[in-house]
Amino acid sequence: MAPKQKKKSSRRKKSPKPILAASEDMEPVNMESMGHPEIYPLVLTTKTQEIFNCRIDEDITDEQPYKLINKEDIFEDLRNRAAVSDFHPVKKIVQEYPGNELLLVYDKDFKYGLNFYLIGTEEGKENYLNPPEVSEEQEEYKEYIPEDVYIYKPPVSKPWVSLGSEKEIEEESVTESTKQITYMISRKRSEFGAPIKFSDQNASSVKDAYIECTAYPDKNFTLKQLEKDVGMQVIPQIKNISTQTKWTYPKNATTQYYPREFSEEEKETLKQSKPLVDFLNNASISVEIALQQNEITNTFIDDWKHLAEEEGTFGDKTDTHLKEYQSFTDLHSPTEKMITCVSWHPTIYGLIAVSVAVRLSFEDRVHFSGKLLLQPSLILFWSFSDPIHPQLMLESPDDIFCFKFCPSDPNIIAGGCINGQIVMWDITTHADRIENVKAGGSRSKKATLKPMFLLEPESNKEAMYIRHCAVSSIENGHKKVITDIHWLSDTFEINRMGSVFENRSGICCQLVTCSADCTICFWDIRPQKPLTPQTTEKKKEENIEIPFDVPSTFLHLDLSWKPLTKVRLSKGDTSLDHCPTKISLKEDHLLCKTQDKVLAQSKTAKAEEMNPYHNLESGMPNLLKPIDDFCTKFFVGTEEGEVIYTDWKMEKDPETGRLMPKKPVSLHTIHDGIVHTIQRSPFYDDIILTVGGWNVAIWKESVMTGPLLQSCCAPKRYTSGHWSLTRPGVFYIGREDGYIDIWDLLEKTHEPAQSQNICITMITCIKPWIFSPKQQFIAIADYYGTLHILEIPWTLSRPSTNEMTSINHYFEREVKHLEYVEQRKKIREQEKKEMEQEMAKKKVKIYQKSKEQMEAELKMDYESYLELEKTVPYQPWPNQSHRKGVILRCDVKKLPEGVFWGLLRSIYFFMSGELAS
């Protein structure tokens, strides 16, 4: 027992000291935070324990760890010891306690922080002294639960304590801080009071019914995101699935919901049927032959492997993605520019030219017009041998949006400016700088990818600026940006009427351009014969000295060049015109064919000896031979997404006698945005690819009912496109999100075969190029001014054996499909007209009754009236019995219409007879 007593004494020594400095207004501390608001922890010293007989391990044990203390004893202790009393912190609780005895519990494990705690409510005392009975099952279950297992206790509501979150809510609340934008909408006064007629129409079939309001970043308002609150909540996965019935060819088909079984009687009848026996005897031979063929032939063989071509090729046949080969960026430009046009050099391998323009809107261009004049507008020539420094820089008066090499002489370049002018360059004097030509040698016959420029490092780093040698007149040319430019073929030329004549000079001398000012202009680079003789003063003005670095090839055109003829695309009966963006002529496919490169090289070699552009004669002599069977029709793409097939020939107006353009042959609104590309296939001269808005379309020139292929809406808008140069069924489409869609008509016709990300911004131009039979490249330009050169894989460059035939068959099948649809439309319209006529006839029959039918109906009504008159009694007029006459009382609502009118007529005749008597 002695060791146990020592343990007790040691426990008494560890009792905390009393708190001497206790204020009168101190609030008692309870265990509300732990879910026990009725418990108030206390510190009882040894002296207090002796006074109240609650000594630890003597009066209070583990079997009975509590003590009931009289309320009056606590008050006596508070009066004797005042603030020194251990019950002073709970003085208020003791005073408010409704009972006479309070329960004091010994906290052996210091669960509530002190050695004792006081229960301040009668309910808490009863729950402690008389705990609720626990069932035997719960008792058994409690034995298996370890003591350290956490038991969940429900949270208890607490009073709200503000920690300053109201200010954060006020700071995060949305308030209007920006100035409201005011829009003013006006209309012409002449349109006030005009009659308005409303009607229903299909938004997709009418041109101006669908207006796209695309979002754009506004530089006037910049908001910097400092903090972002994101809330997440777990929800079940939702999947949106849509389907659409595709058109298929008519096919006979039958179906049934449940199998039909014969009865026993029918089975016996069929067994004895002679036609069934004859059928089985005739069909058994064919079935046996088919079964023998299935046993002999291996049905699981892969026929596609036998159709594949086995040939040693460049690259892996399974690789279908474009590979990055090289990229070019103008690092010396002080402003942010985009690439507007790309063109490979026709004869020099590894040389590519790009035109760049400032990335500014029209309003920004007007605002920064002074600064833009100080920066040159350039066409850059890049080489594979030097991806950092451009080899040549062609200067222009303003930003170039389209340019083309001359097919007859690649040293002649024509470009269209944003201000509507056409610029001409002659880089013949700089040909040695960009050609790999040695003295006494010739060009290598075998094409290999090695440096194309034999230049010294010092001279290669220096920028070579070349000034333009001619620019068109501002007053007589286009008024807005030139969006497309083409050289006419060297086989023909046209006059002011649009008539086609034979070109005896053998070189390309005419251009065609289209602009946003709703005009298509034809230009002639040859000097025109003046209508009036020039004076000596004008001749002196022409003898102005020109800079030594500017060629005099097109000096006769500088600032006086006028279009040969202008074509406007009128919108029918209105005074408005179509706004062309891209054009495609009949002879364009001849200029882009790959086999013409050899011809262009031979023409270049001849041009070195004697350049025909240096001695141009006046165009259109009187002895030219006209070409009668020449097709003068061409395709035009507009800003509204329309594809127009029209004629450039002019005709005289019978009333005014003026030259007027012909009406368009066909007009289709297929695209829902600007047409960015309209190009003929290099394999079929009558197949045209158009790209614009959110879709792609393929047309056939002889089919005016609609496109052969029209894609569904893409996830992003299309910005450019180009046919493959070696595969008839492949074309590339660029999107505004930096992806390129590769279409393969042999694989899929309803969606792209694959999509690949090239850059992070909009693709502005696509141009493929054949380097060798085993290697091809594609140039892709983006909105940030980077030119990406990618290598085309073997699967996209090598055509299959029957690809030409398969694609041709596909186009023919689509033409038959369009013809079938048109026939069905005509049949439906005829049926609709017949139904309307039948309905009109039925309505006329209802209202057109003969005279005999009307008299018969009236007679029947009158007879029914007479029968009714016999059943209705007559009564004399009240208070007026001396007068002659009667009154008929009846319910008029229950009378038929004919009886009612007959009754009125009888009353009328009766009254008129009375008056007459």
Side-chain angles (χ1 to χ4, degrees):
M1 296 296 292
K4 194 172 184 180
Q5 290 176 357
K6 291 180 182 179
K7 189 175 182 181
K8 293 177 183 177
S9 62
S10 63
R11 186 177 294 177
R12 293 193 190 102
K13 291 179 182 179
K14 291 182 180 179
S15 300
K17 295 180 181 180
I19 302 173
L20 300 177
S23 60
E24 289 290 327
D25 298 331
M26 181 183 295
E27 289 289 332
V29 179
N30 62 355
M31 293 292 104
E32 185 178 1
S33 61
M34 299 179 65
H36 300 287
E38 72 278 5
I39 294 176
Y40 297 87
L42 288 175
V43 176
L44 298 185
T45 61
T46 306
K47 181 67 175 176
T48 306
Q49 294 177 17
E50 293 176 356
I51 294 172
F52 291 91
N53 296 324
C54 58
R55 290 169 293 181
I56 301 173
D57 294 335
E58 292 182 8
D59 301 322
I60 295 177
T61 61
D62 295 337
E63 290 77 17
Q64 189 176 0
Y66 60 89
K67 179 75 174 179
L68 292 172
I69 301 175
N70 197 344
K71 188 175 180 182
E72 293 296 330
D73 295 340
I74 297 175
F75 288 152
E76 184 67 20
D77 184 74
L78 290 172
R79 285 193 293 271
N80 295 334
R81 297 197 293 174
V84 183
S85 175
D86 293 340
F87 290 92
H88 184 268
V90 294
K91 178 181 178 181
K92 187 177 179 181
I93 302 301
V94 175
Q95 291 175 355
E96 295 176 358
Y97 189 77
N100 295 324
E101 292 181 341
L102 286 87
L103 182 62
L104 181 67
V105 183
Y106 169 55
D107 193 357
K108 178 181 178 181
D109 299 326
F110 289 85
K111 183 177 180 181
Y112 299 107
L114 300 178
N115 59 352
F116 284 86
Y117 60 88
L118 188 70
I119 297 178
T121 61
E122 283 287 326
E123 183 180 1
K125 184 175 72 173
E126 290 296 324
N127 292 335
Y128 185 85
L129 296 175
N130 302 314
E133 296 181 358
V134 182
S135 61
E136 295 180 358
E137 295 179 0
Q138 292 181 354
E139 287 286 340
E140 294 175 0
Y141 176 75
K142 207 168 185 180
E143 293 177 359
Y144 293 101
I145 298 176
E147 295 180 358
D148 56 347
V149 174
Y150 173 77
I151 299 175
Y152 172 76
K153 295 181 180 179
V156 180
S157 61
K158 305 175 186 178
W160 167 256
V161 179
S162 175
L163 298 178
S165 59
E166 297 87 353
K167 295 182 180 179
E168 295 182 2
I169 295 173
E170 291 178 1
E171 291 175 359
E172 294 293 332
S173 61
V174 179
T175 57
E176 292 185 0
S177 58
T178 58
K179 186 180 178 180
Q180 297 291 333
I181 301 174
T182 304
Y183 289 94
M184 183 181 71
I185 302 173
S186 61
R187 66 186 300 186
K188 295 181 180 180
R189 186 172 182 83
S190 59
E191 298 179 359
F192 286 177
I196 300 174
K197 183 179 180 181
F198 297 97
S199 61
D200 297 334
Q201 64 183 16
N202 190 0
S204 60
S205 62
V206 182
K207 183 176 63 96
D208 294 331
Y210 172 70
I211 300 175
E212 180 184 7
C213 299
T214 57
Y216 67 97
D218 192 354
K219 296 182 179 180
N220 296 328
F221 303 95
T222 57
L223 299 176
K224 186 176 181 181
Q225 185 175 0
L226 300 177
E227 187 177 353
K228 186 177 182 180
D229 294 338
V230 179
M232 292 185 293
Q233 183 179 359
V234 179
I235 62 172
Q237 293 184 356
I238 299 174
K239 184 184 290 185
N240 295 328
I241 300 176
S242 61
T243 181
Q244 184 176 0
T245 305
K246 298 180 182 179
W247 184 91
T248 56
Y249 293 101
K251 191 180 295 183
N252 296 328
T254 59
T255 182
Q256 63 184 21
Y257 292 97
Y258 55 89
R260 293 176 296 178
E261 298 180 356
F262 292 106
S263 60
E264 295 297 331
E265 298 177 358
E266 292 176 344
K267 289 180 182 179
E268 294 296 330
T269 305
L270 286 174
K271 288 180 181 179
Q272 299 175 2
S273 175
K274 185 179 179 182
L276 180 61
V277 174
D278 296 337
F279 168 75
L280 293 176
N281 293 332
N282 296 331
S284 59
I285 300 174
S286 301
V287 173
E288 289 176 0
I289 294 173
L291 293 174
Q292 291 176 2
Q293 290 178 351
N294 290 338
E295 291 293 329
I296 296 171
T297 307
N298 184 9
T299 58
F300 298 100
I301 193 172
D302 190 2
D303 296 330
W304 294 107
K305 290 184 179 179
H306 295 276
L307 294 175
E309 299 176 1
E310 295 183 0
E311 181 183 355
T313 56
F314 183 84
D316 188 5
K317 295 182 181 180
T318 60
D319 190 8
T320 59
H321 288 80
L322 304 174
K323 296 181 180 179
E324 183 82 19
Y325 186 83
Q326 205 166 7
S327 62
F328 301 96
T329 305
D330 188 10
L331 303 177
H332 306 287
S333 176
T335 57
E336 298 178 349
K337 294 189 176 182
M338 64 175 178
I339 296 178
T340 56
C341 187
V342 178
S343 181
W344 294 90
H345 197 281
T347 58
I348 302 177
Y349 291 92
L351 186 66
I352 186 170
V354 297
S355 60
V356 293
V358 182
R359 300 201 306 263
L360 293 177
S361 61
F362 178 77
E363 292 78 8
D364 294 336
R365 281 183 176 272
V366 174
H367 183 67
F368 299 106
S369 58
K371 296 181 181 180
L372 295 178
L373 292 175
L374 303 177
Q375 301 174 7
S377 301
L378 304 172
I379 294 180
L380 307 177
F381 280 73
W382 295 101
S383 168
F384 283 176
S385 63
D386 189 359
I388 299 177
H389 304 95
Q391 302 303 316
L392 291 179
M393 296 185 182
L394 308 185
E395 294 182 344
S396 64
D398 212 333
D399 289 342
I400 298 293
F401 273 72
C402 58
F403 69 94
K404 284 285 171 43
F405 287 95
C406 179
S408 301
D409 186 0
N411 295 323
I412 305 298
I413 303 168
C417 293
I418 192 174
N419 61 358
Q421 289 181 298
I422 297 181
V423 187
M424 300 290 294
W425 292 273
D426 186 2
I427 58 174
T428 306
T429 56
H430 306 279
D432 294 338
R433 180 181 175 88
I434 61 174
E435 289 183 355
N436 186 15
V437 179
K438 295 182 180 180
S442 60
R443 189 184 303 275
S444 176
K445 295 181 180 179
K446 186 177 180 181
T448 56
L449 264 185
K450 56 185 179 181
M452 292 295 164
F453 307 96
L454 300 178
L455 303 174
E456 297 179 0
E458 292 78 7
S459 62
N460 195 10
K461 292 182 181 179
E462 295 177 359
M464 176 64 72
Y465 290 90
I466 301 176
R467 295 180 59 184
H468 56 83
C469 56
V471 65
S472 64
S473 172
I474 297 179
E475 296 82 4
N476 300 312
H478 292 290
K479 305 303 179 184
K480 292 184 180 180
V481 56
I482 297 177
T483 55
D484 201 5
I485 186 171
H486 292 267
W487 286 90
L488 297 186
S489 176
D490 55 1
T491 58
F492 70 95
E493 56 182 282
I494 67 171
N495 61 358
R496 297 183 183 276
M497 293 283 295
S499 302
V500 182
F501 294 88
E502 181 184 7
N503 186 359
R504 294 184 180 179
S505 60
I507 58 175
C508 298
C509 298
Q510 291 183 340
L511 294 160
V512 57
T513 58
C514 67
S515 171
D517 61 353
C518 305
T519 59
I520 299 174
C521 295
F522 290 83
W523 309 76
D524 198 324
I525 63 175
R526 294 170 294 188
Q528 302 297 322
K529 293 181 179 180
L531 300 177
T532 57
Q534 295 182 350
T535 60
T536 56
E537 295 180 357
K538 289 186 177 181
K539 289 182 180 181
K540 288 181 180 180
E541 291 178 359
E542 291 180 355
N543 297 329
I544 300 175
E545 294 183 0
I546 59 174
F548 68 94
D549 58 341
V550 178
S552 60
T553 311
F554 303 106
L555 183 62
H556 57 278
L557 301 176
D558 195 19
L559 298 176
S560 61
W561 195 10
K562 301 179 182 179
L564 183 67
T565 180
K566 286 187 178 182
V567 178
R568 284 187 172 271
L569 304 177
S570 177
K571 290 186 177 181
D573 299 333
T574 63
S575 60
L576 303 176
D577 296 328
H578 295 284
C579 185
T581 56
K582 296 293 178 181
I583 56 177
S584 176
L585 304 178
K586 182 74 173 178
E587 301 296 327
D588 279 351
H589 71 287
L590 297 176
L591 303 178
C592 66
K593 282 188 176 180
T594 56
Q595 57 265 28
D596 288 347
K597 288 187 177 181
V598 180
L599 181 60
Q601 291 179 5
S602 62
K603 289 186 177 181
T604 306
K606 293 180 181 179
E608 292 177 358
E609 301 175 359
M610 185 183 66
N611 194 339
Y613 288 96
H614 291 170
N615 298 313
L616 291 173
E617 298 179 357
S618 300
M620 299 304 297
N622 298 327
L623 301 177
L624 288 181
K625 181 181 178 181
I627 304 176
D628 297 332
D629 57 347
F630 191 88
C631 180
T632 58
K633 297 180 178 63
F634 63 104
F635 280 87
V636 181
T638 67
E639 281 188 353
E640 294 83 6
E642 300 163 329
V643 178
I644 305 173
Y645 187 58
T646 185
D647 197 336
W648 74 54
K649 269 191 177 182
M650 309 289 283
E651 58 182 4
K652 288 187 177 181
D653 191 357
E655 297 179 358
T656 60
R658 295 181 179 180
L659 294 177
M660 300 292 291
K662 295 182 179 180
K663 292 183 179 180
V665 179
S666 66
L667 188 149
H668 298 277
T669 306
I670 297 297
H671 303 286
D672 48 5
I674 300 175
V675 178
H676 296 282
T677 301
I678 179 164
Q679 183 193 19
R680 291 180 183 267
S681 171
F683 300 92
Y684 309 97
D685 59 346
D686 58 345
I687 299 297
I688 297 92
L689 170 69
T690 60
V691 180
W694 302 80
N695 57 354
V696 180
I698 296 179
W699 310 74
K700 189 176 179 65
E701 192 167 8
S702 59
V703 180
M704 298 292 103
T705 55
L708 303 183
L709 170 65
Q710 181 181 355
S711 68
C712 59
C713 290
K716 294 292 181 180
R717 283 183 296 183
Y718 289 140
T719 55
S720 59
H722 204 286
W723 285 100
S724 172
L725 300 179
T726 54
R727 289 196 56 186
V730 175
F731 53 90
Y732 309 94
I733 307 297
R735 301 192 326 208
E736 66 176 355
D737 58 350
Y739 278 79
I740 182 170
D741 290 345
I742 303 173
W743 288 71
D744 190 350
L745 299 180
L746 287 181
E747 184 176 350
K748 297 178 181 179
T749 58
H750 64 284
E751 63 179 1
Q754 58 176 317
S755 297
Q756 183 176 346
N757 180 257
I758 305 299
C759 54
I760 61 174
T761 184
M762 178 178 65
I763 294 175
T764 57
C765 192
I766 297 176
K767 279 295 174 67
W769 178 60
I770 300 176
F771 177 76
S772 67
K774 294 184 179 181
Q775 193 173 20
Q776 295 184 20
F777 296 100
I778 183 170
I780 300 176
D782 63 15
Y783 186 71
Y784 286 165
T786 303
L787 180 65
H788 307 267
I789 306 297
L790 296 100
E791 189 174 356
I792 301 176
W794 182 90
T795 54
L796 297 177
S797 60
R798 183 69 175 175
S800 60
T801 306
N802 301 321
E803 182 169 354
M804 193 82 172
T805 307
S806 301
I807 297 299
N808 192 20
H809 178 67
Y810 167 73
F811 290 147
E812 292 177 356
R813 189 170 69 249
E814 292 301 320
V815 171
K816 293 179 181 179
H817 172 209
L818 288 177
E819 292 176 354
Y820 172 78
V821 172
E822 287 299 318
Q823 292 177 1
R824 295 300 303 170
K825 283 183 179 179
K826 293 179 181 178
I827 293 173
R828 293 297 182 189
E829 291 176 357
Q830 185 65 26
E831 291 178 353
K832 188 177 180 180
K833 289 181 180 178
E834 292 177 356
M835 291 176 63
E836 291 177 353
Q837 291 177 359
E838 290 180 0
M839 293 295 294
K841 289 180 180 179
K842 290 181 180 179
K843 291 180 180 179
V844 170
K845 288 180 179 179
I846 293 173
Y847 294 105
Q848 289 182 352
K849 294 182 179 179
S850 61
K851 187 176 180 181
E852 292 77 6
Q853 291 177 349
M854 294 179 67
E855 290 180 353
E857 290 177 358
L858 290 174
K859 187 177 181 181
M860 290 175 64
D861 292 341
Y862 183 70
E863 290 177 354
S864 61
Y865 157 70
L866 293 177
E867 293 178 357
L868 180 65
E869 190 179 21
K870 295 177 181 178
T871 60
V872 176
Y874 289 93
Q875 296 181 4
W877 195 278
N879 301 326
Q880 295 183 7
S881 57
H882 62 280
R883 295 194 58 185
K884 292 183 180 180
V886 293
I887 183 168
L888 179 65
R889 293 182 178 179
C890 63
D891 192 356
V892 178
K893 294 181 180 179
K894 296 182 179 180
L895 294 177
E897 185 179 358
V899 176
F900 174 75
W901 289 109
L903 181 62
L904 289 179
R905 185 170 55 182
S906 302
I907 294 172
Y908 172 74
F909 289 129
F910 177 77
M911 295 298 295
S912 60
E914 180 185 1
L915 293 174
S917 62

